[in-house]
Every structure is written in structure tokens, then in C-alpha cells.
Amino acid sequence: MIHIGKPIELSHDFFDQLDHLYQVAYDEDSNIRKEVHQMVDTYHYDENTTHGIK
């Protein structure tokens, strides 16, 4: 099968968010999943779960 994709346009805001996400990851912030959720609408997580442990 051959799939032909279409590139998406990325805004400057996206790159600002990506820089922020990098900083959160570098700081090992426990809220990184919340930050990812703000960037990726389809990402879902349980706020009451920490590191996969309830």
C-alpha cells in the first residue's frame, strides 16, 4: 500500500508551546501530561493518576 500524506501548517504558537513543553520535561515537572493535553486535543489522561498509579 502507498499512503500519501499532506503536510500540516504549524503556527508560531505551536513552537512556543513546544519550547514550553521542552522546559517542563527538562525540569521533570509532574504536570507534563497536563501540558501535553493542552497541546494535543486527542490526548487524554486521568488527573487523579500519578505515573500510572492510582
Side-chain angles (χ1 to χ4, degrees):
M1 284 193 242
I2 298 175
H3 296 275
I4 300 174
K6 185 176 173 183
I8 59 172
E9 293 183 28
L10 301 174
S11 67
H12 289 287
D13 185 47
F14 173 78
F15 292 104
D16 292 339
Q17 290 176 326
L18 195 58
D19 285 338
H20 177 70
L21 184 62
Y22 173 81
Q23 189 61 47
V24 170
Y26 184 79
D27 294 341
E28 296 184 13
D29 190 329
S30 62
N31 291 325
I32 192 167
R33 295 181 297 159
K34 184 177 182 179
E35 299 293 333
V36 171
H37 177 67
Q38 290 177 357
M39 287 183 68
V40 183
D41 294 337
T42 57
Y43 177 74
H44 300 285
Y45 72 100
D46 183 358
E47 292 182 24
N48 299 319
T49 303
T50 304
H51 303 293
I53 302 171
K54 288 188 178 183

